[in-house]
């Protein structure tokens, strides 16, 4: 029963990943067959770290992306879930409105925020009277992209936490109330620890989404001029005009290694819980 899914996973995930690691040690440009002369050892990795100016800004931007998702989008999504869990009037309408951005394509999200952040005809500049080029000026475009991404991410986090809150045993809330806990104390000392599986899932989802952030940035300006991310650098090198398959594979392998560290920690935590 598991043979076919295993073959699909190996064929679509593991083989491309292993191939990418192997290619990262070559100077192959995608033309012709790979020969022994194409293998150049760790040169690509050395060039990535020391001779490729966009790399470290991209690492910094990915770190900022991750920090904002953790410290802004996730707590705000959790806050909205707690509010909606109180069964306030029209809660279904609020849920649908907040979750709607999640089901929209990123191309449409980019278009919506273009209407807001546009320099000449954007809503934000019309309201504030400023002339800032939010997507074009590298002092602002990363933060503008983060606002658009957070707008989408908040609904997703809200839905996950809302599902977790619905599954919490009501007797825990009642026991906390009898012990004199305020709502905030009951949430952080009783409810939040009980939702540990949800917390771990959200932790992993947030990390992976931050690392693979690509679509919106690519739509805005193809990951240039202050919007460099590791994922856009991979695309620029692999499918761009340069067609440096080996160099792009080295960047992809760096992403894979960073992801692997976190996924290994996650699996160790999950397996420890299962025991």
């Amino acid at each position: 029963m598991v043979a076919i899914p295993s073959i699909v996973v190996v064929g679509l995930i593991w083989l491309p990943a292993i191939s990418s690691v192997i290619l990262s040690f070559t100077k192959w440009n995608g033309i012709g067959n790979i020969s022994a002369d194409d293998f150049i050892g760790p040169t690509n990795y050395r060039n990535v770290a020391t001779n490729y100016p966009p790399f470290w800004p991209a690492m910094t931007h990915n770190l900022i992306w991750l920090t904002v998702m953790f410290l802004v989008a996730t707590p705000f999504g959790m806050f909205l879930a707690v509010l909606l869990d109180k069964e306030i009037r029209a809660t279904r309408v609020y849920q649908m409105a907040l979750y709607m951005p999640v089901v929209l394509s990123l191309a449409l999200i980019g278009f919506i925020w273009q209407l807001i952040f546009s320099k000449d005809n954007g809503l934000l500049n019309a309201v504030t009277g400023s002339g800032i080029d939010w997507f074009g000026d590298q002092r602002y475009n990363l933060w503008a992209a983060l606002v658009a991404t957070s707008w989408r991410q908040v609904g997703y986090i809200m839905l996950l936490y809302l599902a977790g809150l619905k599954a919490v045993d009501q007797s825990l809330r009642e026991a906390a109330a009898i012990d004199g806990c305020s709502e905030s104390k009951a949430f952080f000392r009783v409810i939040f620890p009980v939702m540990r599986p949800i917390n771990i899932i959200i932790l992993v989802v947030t990390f992976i989404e931050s690392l693979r952030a690509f679509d919106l940035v690519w739509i805005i300006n193809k990951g240039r001029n202050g919007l460099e991310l590791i994922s856009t650098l991979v695309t620029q090198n692999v499918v761009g005009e340069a067609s440096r398959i080996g160099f792009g594979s080295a960047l992809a392998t760096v992403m894979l290694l960073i992801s692997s560290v976190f996924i290994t920690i996650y699996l160790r935590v999950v397996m420890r819980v299962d025991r």
Side-chain angles (χ1 to χ4, degrees), residues 181-237:
C181 284
S182 62
E183 283 196 31
S184 59
K185 282 186 179 179
F187 177 78
F188 286 110
R189 295 184 180 182
V190 179
I191 308 301
F192 189 74
V194 169
M195 293 194 300
R196 188 168 181 267
I198 296 294
N199 293 330
I200 292 175
I201 290 173
I202 289 175
L203 194 69
V204 173
V205 167
T206 303
F207 182 84
I208 292 175
E209 288 293 323
S210 301
L211 196 60
R212 62 194 286 269
F214 171 79
D215 312 65
L216 190 61
V217 167
W218 193 260
I219 291 168
I220 294 173
N221 68 358
K222 298 188 182 302
R224 296 187 172 92
N225 191 33
L227 275 179
E228 296 86 357
L229 296 173
I230 299 297
S231 56
T232 62
L233 298 185
V234 173
T235 304
Q236 289 167 9
N237 281 279

Side-chain angles (χ1 to χ4, degrees), residues 36-269:
D37 294 337
D38 289 324
F39 283 89
I40 55 175
T43 302
N44 284 331
Y45 293 96
R46 190 162 49 245
N47 288 335
V48 164
T50 62
N51 195 26
Y52 189 52
F55 176 69
W56 290 111
M59 288 287 283
T60 304
H61 296 161
N62 271 105
L63 184 60
I64 293 173
W65 203 284
L66 178 65
T67 303
V68 171
M69 290 300 108
F70 266 126
L71 299 183
V72 179
T74 299
F76 191 53
M78 183 172 64
F79 173 70
L80 292 174
V82 172
L83 289 181
L84 294 175
D85 187 49
K86 296 180 182 299
E87 297 295 342
I88 59 178
R89 179 181 296 180
T91 182
R92 297 289 183 188
V93 176
Y94 291 127
Q95 289 179 34
M96 186 176 66
L98 292 168
Y99 189 70
M100 184 63 74
V102 180
V103 300
L104 298 178
S105 71
L106 283 168
L108 182 56
I109 290 176
F111 175 72
I112 291 171
W113 284 95
Q114 184 68 37
L115 296 176
I116 297 173
F117 286 134
S118 173
K119 178 184 177 183
D120 299 323
N121 303 310
L123 176 63
L124 186 58
N125 282 350
V127 171
T128 61
S130 67
I132 297 174
D133 188 357
W134 295 98
F135 280 156
D137 193 326
Q138 61 179 351
R139 292 175 298 175
Y140 306 107
N141 55 12
L142 178 63
W143 303 106
L146 282 168
V147 169
T149 302
S150 297
W151 178 65
R152 182 174 184 268
Q153 184 76 357
V154 162
Y156 188 43
I157 298 298
M158 179 273 298
L159 193 70
L160 289 175
Y161 267 122
L162 192 57
L165 287 168
K166 297 294 184 189
V168 173
D169 191 342
Q170 186 63 27
S171 63
L172 292 175
R173 302 174 194 267
E174 296 171 356
I178 292 172
D179 289 341
C181 284
S182 62
E183 283 196 31
S184 59
K185 282 186 179 179
F187 177 78
F188 286 110
R189 295 184 180 182
V190 179
I191 308 301
F192 189 74
V194 169
M195 293 194 300
R196 188 168 181 267
I198 296 294
N199 293 330
I200 292 175
I201 290 173
I202 289 175
L203 194 69
V204 173
V205 167
T206 303
F207 182 84
I208 292 175
E209 288 293 323
S210 301
L211 196 60
R212 62 194 286 269
F214 171 79
D215 312 65
L216 190 61
V217 167
W218 193 260
I219 291 168
I220 294 173
N221 68 358
K222 298 188 182 302
R224 296 187 172 92
N225 191 33
L227 275 179
E228 296 86 357
L229 296 173
I230 299 297
S231 56
T232 62
L233 298 185
V234 173
T235 304
Q236 289 167 9
N237 281 279
V238 172
V239 301
E241 296 177 357
S243 189
R244 298 192 296 175
I245 307 296
F247 191 80
S249 296
L251 288 164
T253 303
V254 171
M255 285 184 62
L256 178 65
L257 290 174
I258 296 173
S259 301
S260 300
V261 170
F262 192 81
I263 291 172
T264 301
I265 295 172
Y266 164 70
L267 290 176
R268 289 191 63 179
V269 172

